Amino acid sequence: MIRQLLGLYLLVGWGTAHAHTPLFDCFDNGDETLTCEGGFSDGASAEGVGVRLLDQQGKVLEQAKLDARGSATFKRPAGGFSVVFDAGAEHQITVLGDDIS
Amino acid sequence: MFLRPLAVLLVTAMASLVTAPATAHFLVVHTPKTALLRGEDLPFHLIFTHAFAGEPSMAMDKPERFYFSRRPAAGEPSEEVDLLPYLQAIDWQSEDSRVPAWRATIPRNLVRSLGDYQFVVEPAPYLEAGEDIYIQQFAKVMVNVGGVPGNWSETLGLPAEIHALNKPYANWTSGVFRGVVLSDGVPVPFTQIEVEYLNHALDVDNRRFEEQGQITAPHPSLEAIVILSNAQGEFSFALPKAGWWGFAALNVGPTKEHAGKPLSQDAILWVQVTDLPPLTGTRP
């Protein structure tokens, strides 16, 4: 996640979106589900932002929109996967399944 | 005939000044890192001490309250989570003896969500026998997870409180920290604030502060730096060194008596300061 955040920050760091950096993380709930949370560095709500659960080939397994608390919960897939926070072309963050604990 | 007794008096007075310990009590609420990329187990130590000198430390009863306040989402009210069940009594080295203090490990599952966590300690009044007064320090420290801002700028309705005007976890060295001193939510004009550097690192394995401090102050006024709030209760302070800086607004709470003795209700806020890393690349 850190690499993704840094990469994204470099991408937008000098642009007009500097004050509105997207932030995202996922947690394993210990019950075969995972919860992902997103937000922005200026405190803006991420409600309605799309989140996609992808398998290793990039196939969409599940998708959802973040709720009013910037949160969405998925069933944890077997095998490798990733989760993408998609708030627009310059506001995407990917968290790898291996980094979710 | 006159000069000698006067000289003796002066020398005696100066000697007592030089050897007297700093008088600023500080409730240290310590966790190693306050700006976290991801939630993790958070170790805390609660020690009633003298921040710059690192001693003496005072016996600390179990706090009346220990909790964090967090706003689940923008527009929602903040919620409090009781942390008293996580407190464990420890003994902490103070000069030649050990005194009661407290530690806690807050599990990751309570602090994994993105945002701010305002940790608050409301201690029981402490009888300072030397001054025959009670001291009660309402202490705050803030932790952020993931960079999403939350309720860092909200006040919590404490009897004595420092309202942060900067994020206490996001300060470069030499940056300016600003706050407002509040008594029951009302700004306190021209009140005294003591500012101290946490000069001795915590040696948590041996439950003591390290003997060697980071700074040797050339004058007592640079150990406990005293500033005043302005007419609106606001203050500002440039942070000269990375580490922890404590702000203590003394005797600002509304309750002035406890168990038949004077009570000083103080507001404490801890601010963590980070060095600017070396510049890389081409300066724009």
Side-chain angles (χ1 to χ4, degrees):
Chain A
M1 185 197 77
I2 298 170
R3 282 195 304 274
Q4 296 289 340
L5 281 175
L6 286 175
L8 188 79
Y9 187 80
L10 287 172
L11 185 67
V12 301
W14 303 112
T16 54
H18 182 68
H20 189 80
T21 303
L23 301 156
F24 186 59
D25 200 3
C26 298
F27 330 107
D28 190 308
N29 295 319
D31 59 358
E32 299 185 347
T33 67
L34 54 96
T35 294
C36 296
E37 291 184 359
F40 293 94
S41 59
D42 62 353
S45 172
E47 182 178 6
V49 171
V51 177
R52 297 189 298 275
L53 189 66
L54 308 176
D55 68 11
Q56 284 179 303
Q57 285 71 47
K59 178 186 169 190
V60 177
L61 300 173
E62 197 174 345
Q63 53 189 343
K65 291 190 181 301
L66 296 180
D67 65 15
R69 293 189 169 188
S71 176
T73 296
F74 301 98
K75 188 174 188 310
R76 183 167 188 138
F81 69 96
S82 61
V83 188
V84 177
F85 171 95
D86 187 357
E90 293 186 345
H91 289 79
Q92 293 188 349
I93 298 175
T94 301
V95 176
L96 301 177
D98 288 345
D99 291 335
I100 299 173
S101 59
Chain B
M1 289 175 63
F2 173 73
L3 288 176
R4 186 179 294 271
L6 179 61
V8 169
L9 280 173
L10 282 172
V11 167
T12 305
M14 288 179 68
S16 66
L17 279 175
V18 168
T19 56
T23 55
H25 299 71
F26 259 96
L27 175 50
V28 171
V29 182
H30 183 272
T31 190
K33 197 172 176 186
T34 55
L36 304 172
L37 289 173
R38 308 186 87 174
E40 57 189 60
D41 290 349
L42 294 183
F44 274 87
H45 283 80
L46 281 50
I47 308 148
F48 193 36
T49 191
H50 294 77
F52 189 89
E55 62 180 20
S57 296
M58 287 70 71
M60 182 177 170
D61 290 339
K62 186 172 186 178
E64 293 179 348
R65 300 191 69 202
F66 176 40
Y67 59 96
F68 70 68
S69 171
R70 179 177 178 274
R71 191 175 65 198
E76 292 190 27
S78 291
E79 298 172 349
E80 291 180 1
V81 174
D82 178 24
L83 302 175
L84 281 176
Y86 298 97
L87 280 181
Q88 293 178 289
I90 58 172
D91 56 78
W92 193 263
Q93 189 73 36
S94 174
E95 298 177 320
D96 296 329
S97 62
R98 300 187 79 87
V99 297
W102 300 86
R103 73 176 175 196
T105 300
I106 310 306
R108 174 180 177 259
N109 64 354
L110 289 185
V111 291
R112 70 178 196 175
S113 286
L114 306 177
D116 292 330
Y117 298 79
Q118 289 202 47
F119 289 86
V120 182
V121 179
E122 300 184 19
Y126 167 80
L127 178 60
E128 174 53 64
E131 301 174 50
D132 202 29
I133 65 168
Y134 281 96
I135 299 171
Q136 186 178 32
Q137 299 198 324
F138 298 86
K140 297 197 298 187
V141 63
M142 299 191 202
V143 172
N144 177 270
V145 175
V148 174
N151 68 348
W152 67 271
S153 63
E154 288 182 5
T155 56
L156 303 178
L158 303 175
E161 184 169 8
I162 292 176
H163 181 189
L165 298 181
N166 295 70
K167 294 172 182 173
Y169 50 79
N171 294 277
W172 293 122
T173 305
S174 299
V176 173
F177 185 79
R178 299 171 304 128
V180 185
V181 178
L182 301 176
S183 173
D184 245 354
V186 178
V188 186
F190 303 116
T191 195
Q192 181 170 299
I193 302 148
E194 290 187 337
V195 187
E196 287 200 26
Y197 185 61
L198 186 63
N199 193 29
H200 296 257
L202 278 71
D203 175 358
V204 297
D205 292 335
N206 295 304
R207 304 186 307 283
R208 57 180 294 167
F209 290 106
E210 289 185 0
E211 198 167 312
Q212 182 65 45
Q214 303 290 304
I215 301 169
T216 301
H219 191 271
S221 64
L222 292 166
E223 294 185 5
I225 298 169
V226 175
I227 61 176
L228 294 181
S229 61
N230 67 13
Q232 287 75 44
E234 303 161 346
F235 67 89
S236 58
F237 183 82
L239 302 157
K241 184 173 173 59
W244 286 96
W245 288 86
F247 293 82
L250 306 179
N251 197 22
V252 294
T255 304
K256 300 298 183 187
E257 188 176 311
H258 176 76
K261 297 182 188 297
L263 170 66
S264 176
Q265 288 186 311
D266 308 340
I268 304 283
L269 178 66
W270 284 97
V271 172
Q272 194 169 32
V273 182
T274 305
D275 274 336
L276 200 67
L279 299 178
T280 56
T282 304
R283 193 174 297 177

